[in-house]
């Protein structure tokens, strides 16, 4: 659909911490002529039909009586659905080739970080220690991806192209050339037991909250590593730290945390074997986000099917 076909105008409310989405105002005005944009908790925001959100304050969306569409500015919508008062209107998320490419880069880097021993040599370099490790072929390293959706699918394909032995776990059964697939809760232990580098690309839902606890992480072979790109709440962090300290797990790259930013005094920053990154695996540009929000606003106004609608029953 192209700009100009829009019938009517729409009022948009931005719901986030103050200032986060300010750059969207001019972009939305460019894309949706006549749009009014306000920021929660301004009075005008309560009358908006479209709510654009990162982490709205609980109850805010329920206090918008004219609301017709909720649009996340992210791929994950857990920050929105965690509020039980969220009204039953369509909820859309961001699906963007730029995010997918960025996430795949991060996952490839993380897999190579462990596979090529960068975790060890970076630590050795700080002590001036010259130490080489036996090299293994990528095919001898099993990378397992939790979640085979928009992001997991591309990461799996590119890891397989690099030569890794790749498997993936999803809720529903899938066929994927060159990737061994597992599905459903009953298959999770088998999947984990054959994974040397575990990558999490799951959405956060009641079924995935706390999934990676002592019991599950212990299923990974000794010396396995974790790359957590999904949400901090997928991992019971104390269980992870205990398995790192016991030597069962080799290391973890953690990009996401229950509380963000991770406070400077948090012990994870200094935990041996852990590399903290600042929720940077894949960041959508405001331009890309605005184009998708505007497209869905036009579709809403003209009665066309919306793009990237979240299944509220599944939670993703
Ligand atoms: P999708 O919704 O496209 O894919 C989700 C995948 O997870 C699907 O394969 C789905 O299975 C699977 N899944 C969901 N629930 C379960 C379950 N209970 N058991 C097994 N598999 C399950 O999501 P995306 O790929 O777009 O994004 C994934 C997550 O990545 C986001 O929700 C977000 O949390 C995170 N993210 C992090 C970023 C960062 O910078 N760190 C950036 C962007 C996203 P099925 O295919 O059967 O439905
Ligand atoms: C997302 C994220 O879900 O940034 O898009 O984590």
């Amino acid at each position: 659909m192209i700009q100009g076909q829009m019938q009517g105008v729409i009022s948009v409310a931005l719901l986030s911490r103050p200032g986060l989405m300010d750059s969207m105002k001019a972009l939305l005005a460019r894309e949706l002529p006549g749009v009014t944009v306000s920021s929660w908790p301004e009075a005008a925001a309560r009358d908006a039909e479209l709510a654009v959100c990162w982490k709205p304050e609980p109850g805010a969306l329920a206090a918008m009586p004219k609301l017709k569409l909720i649009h996340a500015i992210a791929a994950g919508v857990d920050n929105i659905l965690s509020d039980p008062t969220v009204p039953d209107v369509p909820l859309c998320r961001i699906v963007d080739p730029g995010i997918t490419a960025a996430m795949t880069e991060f996952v490839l880097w993380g897999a190579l970080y462990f596979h090529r021993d960068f975790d060890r040599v970076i630590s050795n370099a700080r002590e001036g220690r010259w130490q080489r490790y036996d090299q293994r072929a990528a095919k001898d390293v099993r990378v397992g991806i939790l979640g085979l959706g928009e992001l997991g699918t591309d990461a799996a394909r590119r890891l397989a192209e690099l030569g890794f032995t790749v498997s993936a776990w999803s809720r529903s059964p899938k066929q994927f050339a060159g990737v061994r697939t597992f599905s459903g809760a009953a298959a999770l232990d088998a999947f984990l037991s054959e994974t040397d580098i575990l990558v999490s690309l799951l959405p956060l839902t009641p079924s995935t909250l706390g999934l990676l606890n002592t019991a599950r992480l212990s299923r990974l072979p000794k010396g396995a590593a974790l790359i957590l790109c999904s949400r901090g709440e997928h991992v019971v962090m104390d269980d992870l730290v205990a398995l790192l300290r016991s030597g069962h797990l080799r290391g973890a790259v953690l990009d996401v945390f229950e509380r963000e930013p991770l406070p400077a005094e948090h012990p994870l920053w200094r935990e041996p074997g852990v590399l903290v990154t600042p929720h940077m695996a894949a960041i959508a540009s405001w331009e890309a986000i605005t184009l998708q929000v505007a497209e869905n606003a036009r579709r809403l106004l003209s009665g066309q099917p919306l793009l990237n609608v979240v299944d509220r029953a599944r939670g993703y």
Side-chain angles (χ1 to χ4, degrees):
M1 185 176 297
I2 51 168
Q3 191 176 320
Q5 286 182 314
M6 186 173 71
Q7 297 149 15
V9 290
I10 195 161
S11 57
V12 178
L14 307 178
L15 292 90
S16 69
R17 63 180 149 75
L20 176 74
M21 289 194 250
D22 282 356
S23 52
M24 276 188 80
K25 290 183 178 172
L27 296 170
L28 282 168
R30 184 194 72 196
E31 289 300 314
L32 299 170
V35 70
T36 57
V37 185
S38 49
S39 298
W40 187 268
E42 292 165 11
R46 292 174 192 271
D47 285 330
E49 297 147 301
L50 167 56
V52 181
C53 315
W54 167 237
K55 189 170 185 165
E57 73 183 48
L61 293 165
M64 297 175 65
K66 299 181 185 162
L67 190 63
K68 294 193 177 70
L69 170 63
I70 304 168
H71 212 302
I73 61 164
V77 292
D78 46 289
N79 280 343
I80 297 169
L81 290 180
S82 58
D83 175 358
T85 70
V86 171
D88 189 16
V89 299
L91 166 62
C92 298
R93 69 188 189 108
I94 299 296
V95 174
D96 172 52
I99 307 185
T100 303
M103 182 59 81
T104 295
E105 286 174 1
F106 190 91
V107 170
L108 294 179
W109 162 80
L112 292 169
Y113 174 74
F114 290 114
H115 168 51
R116 294 305 311 272
D117 296 305
F118 287 107
D119 56 335
R120 293 173 170 144
V121 298
I122 288 170
S123 153
N124 292 345
R126 291 202 186 96
E127 293 162 21
R129 183 158 9 112
W130 180 286
Q131 184 173 352
R132 302 203 300 183
Y133 297 93
D134 291 342
Q135 286 191 355
R136 287 192 296 172
K139 71 174 174 43
D140 297 328
V141 177
R142 301 163 296 179
V143 183
I145 304 182
L146 294 165
L148 201 45
E150 294 290 337
L151 303 178
T153 300
D154 193 62
R157 182 176 59 78
R158 298 288 300 280
L159 285 161
E161 282 170 8
L162 266 186
F164 288 105
T165 295
V166 183
S167 61
W169 182 69
S170 54
R171 200 175 52 89
S172 54
K174 295 195 192 299
Q175 301 288 324
F176 193 146
V179 173
R180 186 158 178 228
T181 54
F182 296 75
S183 61
L188 182 56
D189 282 352
F191 163 82
L192 292 171
S193 68
E194 296 173 22
T195 292
D196 301 311
I197 299 176
L198 180 67
V199 179
S200 179
L201 284 171
L202 288 168
L204 181 62
T205 68
S207 324
T208 63
L209 175 74
L211 187 80
L212 298 177
N213 56 16
T214 299
R216 304 265 173 43
L217 291 169
S218 300
R219 295 280 172 183
L220 293 166
K222 185 168 165 45
L226 170 67
I227 302 170
L228 180 69
C229 298
S230 49
R231 290 291 182 261
E233 292 91 330
H234 285 131
V235 176
V236 181
M237 291 293 177
D238 287 347
D239 293 3
L240 171 67
V241 167
L243 286 162
L244 288 165
R245 289 184 181 175
S246 74
H248 184 74
L249 295 183
R250 163 187 179 155
V253 171
L254 305 177
D255 188 54
V256 284
F257 302 87
E258 186 172 356
R259 181 173 162 209
E260 295 181 1
L262 188 71
E265 64 281 6
H266 199 288
L268 277 174
W269 286 106
R270 283 162 287 279
E271 183 64 34
V274 171
L275 177 63
V276 169
T277 56
H279 198 147
M280 55 167 265
I283 304 169
S285 69
W286 292 115
E287 178 74 21
I289 293 168
T290 304
L291 290 179
Q292 293 195 26
V293 170
E295 174 63 20
N296 271 331
R298 288 190 283 269
R299 285 170 176 261
L300 180 73
L301 287 166
S302 60
Q304 302 295 307
L306 299 167
L307 302 178
N308 306 319
V309 179
V310 170
D311 179 334
R312 295 277 290 263
R314 290 187 323 188
Y316 66 97

